[in-house]
């Protein structure tokens, strides 16, 4: 089989709405390397979009999954529960930021975690409205789409969004929006359109993911915490992409001096298996009646086993420190490339959640063409990169945190060569 042959079959069999970043059909993978069906090797700087933070097929994670699979693969926790579900909930209750009693539920996807966080906030407050930020990404379900602050490609053609969802600008100094302006937009919203006593929750990503890897300023977090406390609003941190050592802490919210009331997580939680979670204040989490939360596959035993192993690996291999070390190396190399590449207007991100933003050489406009050309050139040289951002002009770097030093060095050489090749055209 060739990639082209499978791609032709895919075009005939799979709906075109499932977008494709590459036409590489994976056959096997190990840590930060992937081999396709033709035997070609790639260095993976996508990690399944921040999913395999512990690398492809980490031995400890695979062993936990295999051991669980030999026992049972499904009972539905609501029908016949299992101890490792409870143990993982206990561990997340302990590790998620916030000095208060917590409880946890498990679901299957990040979007489902967000949906349930909103359900919990509405049940706890008796209020309907939710506020999110421009540029945010919270999933592709209808509530997730509605909360997402980007039309293309997530909302186009899908009709009316969910009611009582409001957006305010996210503070991005590079794009001319300050923290004061973002918080001021909330004040204006409350004066003009929305009674704050109707607001159940404000949701935000500590670092915007699809929106462009923009970290939330500390002043924004403090302002939101104060506003939520003043008006009885639930503050939700969407840590689906930022969680599990990616930002140099187990959770990105550890980098702030305030805590969210509810935290959503998925992606890196289970090392490649579909598992998501919602952890929050115990009183909020208990607001829904029995049966109001859950799902047939929520907290599948294989995902639970993998997640317990992932937490062990993060601790045993000190992956939070490793993320900071790797991110520092990547930023240094990007800064070196930037010296001769004026199109790079910003290099940012905590830990190993790094992005480079590209504008035109005179800095006057976003340059998605260059970002995509570098991505394509790097792919031809064996390095998988992803772009993101409202303008599509950001390259994000999401390699496994377990990547070997020599593989990282090889990848950075490919990146620099790809930038130079694009500039020479």
């Amino acid at each position: 089989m060739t990639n082209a042959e499978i791609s032709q079959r895919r075009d005939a069999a799979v709906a075109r709405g499932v977008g494709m970043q590459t036409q590489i059909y994976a056959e096997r993978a190990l840590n930060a390397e992937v081999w396709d069906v033709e035997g070609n090797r790639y260095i993976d700087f996508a990690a399944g979009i921040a999913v395999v933070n512990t690398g492809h097929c980490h031995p400890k994670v695979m062993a936990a999954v295999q051991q669980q699979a030999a026992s049972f693969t499904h009972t539905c926790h609501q029908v016949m529960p299992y101890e490792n579900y409870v143990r993982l909930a206990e561990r997340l209750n302990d590790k998620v930021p916030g000095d208060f009693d917590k409880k946890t539920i498990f679901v299957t996807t990040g979007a489902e975690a967000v949906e349930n966080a909103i359900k919990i906030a509405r049940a706890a407050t008796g209020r309907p409205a939710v506020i999110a930020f421009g540029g945010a990404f919270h999933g592709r379900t209808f509530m997730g789409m509605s909360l997402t602050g980007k039309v293309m490609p997530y909302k186009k053609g899908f009709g009316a969004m969910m009611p009582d969802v409001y957006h305010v600008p996210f503070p991005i100094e590079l794009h001319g929006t300050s923290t004061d302006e973002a918080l001021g937009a909330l004040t204006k919203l409350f004066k003009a359109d929305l009674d704050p006593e109707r607001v159940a929750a404000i949701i935000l990503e500590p670092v915007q993911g699809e929106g462009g890897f923009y970290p939330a300023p500390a002043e924004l977090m403090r302002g939101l915490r104060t506003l939520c406390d003043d008006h009885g609003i639930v503050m939700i941190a969407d840590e689906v992409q930022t969680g599990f050592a990616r930002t140099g802490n187990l959770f990105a919210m550890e980098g702030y001096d305030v805590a969210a009331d509810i935290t959503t997580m998925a992606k890196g939680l289970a090392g490649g298996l579909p598992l998501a979670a919602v952890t929050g204040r115990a009183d909020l989490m208990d607001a829904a009646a029995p049966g109001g939360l859950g799902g047939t596959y929520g907290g599948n035993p294989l995902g639970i086993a993998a997640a317990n192993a992932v937490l062990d690996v993060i601790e045993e291999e000190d992956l939070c420190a490793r993320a900071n070390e790797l991110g520092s190396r990547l930023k240094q190399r990007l800064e070196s490339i930037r010296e001769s590449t004026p199109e790079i207007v910003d290099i940012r991100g905590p830990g190993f959640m790094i992005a480079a933003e590209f504008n035109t050489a005179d800095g006057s406009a976003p340059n998605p063409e260059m970002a995509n050309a570098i991505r394509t050139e790097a792919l031809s040289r064996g390095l998988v990169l992803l772009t993101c951002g409202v303008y599509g002009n950001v390259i994000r770097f999401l390699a496994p945190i377990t990547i070997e030093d020599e593989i990282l060095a090889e990848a950075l050489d490919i990146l620099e060569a790809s930038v130079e090749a694009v500039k020479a055209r």
Side-chain angles (χ1 to χ4, degrees):
M1 287 187 296
T2 66
N3 289 310
E5 289 170 346
I6 302 173
S7 181
Q8 188 173 30
R9 288 165 51 200
R10 179 200 176 277
D11 289 344
V14 179
R16 72 184 186 100
V18 181
M20 298 282 287
Q21 286 274 343
T22 77
Q23 294 295 332
I24 298 166
Y25 287 84
E27 184 172 72
R28 61 188 177 92
L30 184 64
N31 201 6
E33 299 171 275
V34 179
W35 289 263
D36 71 9
V37 293
E38 298 176 8
N40 301 307
R41 168 187 172 266
Y42 295 87
I43 300 174
D44 185 4
F45 262 45
I49 314 183
V51 168
V52 287
N53 290 354
T54 51
H56 293 282
C57 299
H58 190 287
K60 186 156 192 170
V61 177
M62 293 300 96
V65 172
Q66 289 164 5
Q67 182 178 356
Q68 179 60 55
S71 299
F72 62 93
T73 61
H74 179 76
T75 62
C76 183
H77 186 77
Q78 296 96 296
V79 178
M80 296 181 68
Y82 26 97
E83 182 275 338
N84 58 352
Y85 182 112
V86 177
R87 176 157 48 94
L88 183 59
E90 291 170 338
R91 297 178 77 177
L92 292 180
N93 293 342
D94 179 61
K95 293 178 180 298
V96 167
D99 186 18
F100 42 78
D101 291 337
K102 305 183 194 79
K103 290 190 175 183
T104 292
I105 66 165
F106 294 107
V107 286
T108 309
T109 68
E112 196 178 354
V114 168
E115 293 271 345
N116 278 276
I118 300 303
K119 287 166 59 177
I120 291 163
R122 284 177 164 176
T125 62
R127 303 172 178 183
V130 186
I131 298 171
F133 285 86
F137 179 81
H138 296 293
R140 290 180 175 86
T141 56
F142 260 96
M143 178 55 77
M145 275 195 301
S146 301
L147 294 169
T148 292
K150 184 179 177 182
V151 172
M152 285 293 295
Y154 307 116
K155 299 184 182 184
K156 184 175 176 60
F158 294 122
M161 295 293 106
M162 297 290 288
D164 263 337
V165 173
Y166 300 83
H167 288 89
V168 293
F170 190 79
I172 303 171
E173 294 285 354
L174 182 64
H175 295 176
T177 303
S178 69
T179 298
D180 286 344
E181 288 170 326
L183 292 171
L186 278 166
T187 301
K188 291 177 181 177
L189 178 67
F190 291 159
K191 294 291 185 183
D193 292 311
L194 179 61
D195 179 357
E197 303 305 312
R198 293 186 62 253
V199 180
I202 296 176
I203 185 170
L204 81 161
E205 302 156 279
V207 181
Q208 286 201 332
E210 297 293 321
F213 275 36
Y214 299 105
E219 296 80 5
L220 177 71
M221 285 294 186
R222 294 189 199 107
L224 291 176
R225 183 69 271 174
T226 298
L227 184 148
C228 288
D229 290 342
D230 288 346
H231 295 289
I233 298 169
V234 176
M235 182 176 173
I236 302 173
D238 182 341
E239 294 246 25
V240 168
Q241 190 161 166
T242 55
F244 303 100
R246 176 55 57 183
T247 63
N249 289 303
L250 189 63
F251 295 100
M253 286 300 295
E254 294 175 51
Y256 298 92
D257 57 4
V258 298
D261 300 302
I262 294 176
T263 299
T264 63
M265 63 207 91
K267 289 189 181 292
L269 172 58
L273 275 73
L275 183 71
V278 183
T279 299
R281 292 181 179 272
D283 58 326
L284 299 177
M285 298 297 292
D286 279 343
L293 305 175
T296 301
Y297 291 106
N300 174 270
L302 299 178
I304 294 287
N308 274 305
V310 164
L311 291 180
D312 291 342
V313 170
I314 290 172
E315 181 176 345
E316 292 165 4
E317 300 185 17
D318 198 5
L319 292 189
C320 291
R322 178 69 172 164
N324 286 321
E325 176 189 348
L326 293 169
S328 177
R329 290 189 208 170
L330 175 56
K331 281 183 173 178
Q332 288 176 15
R333 188 63 169 268
L334 287 169
E335 290 291 356
S336 175
I337 296 171
R338 186 181 190 178
E339 291 177 2
S340 60
T341 311
E343 291 87 352
I344 299 178
V345 292
D346 196 23
I347 297 165
R348 58 178 175 267
F352 205 29
M353 188 174 181
I354 306 299
E357 183 158 350
F358 291 80
N359 277 7
T360 52
D362 61 5
S364 63
N367 194 345
E369 294 80 12
M370 185 171 189
N372 192 58
I374 293 169
R375 181 191 69 81
T376 303
E377 180 66 27
L379 186 64
S380 73
R381 295 168 181 256
L383 176 62
V384 178
L385 298 174
L386 297 175
T387 55
C388 65
V390 173
Y391 302 104
N393 65 323
V394 178
I395 294 177
R396 52 178 161 169
F397 302 93
L398 286 171
I401 306 169
T402 49
I403 187 172
E404 300 93 337
D405 288 343
E406 62 273 18
I407 302 298
L408 176 69
E410 181 185 355
L412 296 185
D413 287 344
I414 294 173
L415 172 64
E416 184 165 357
S418 299
V419 173
E420 291 303 318
V422 169
K423 287 162 52 181
R425 291 176 185 170

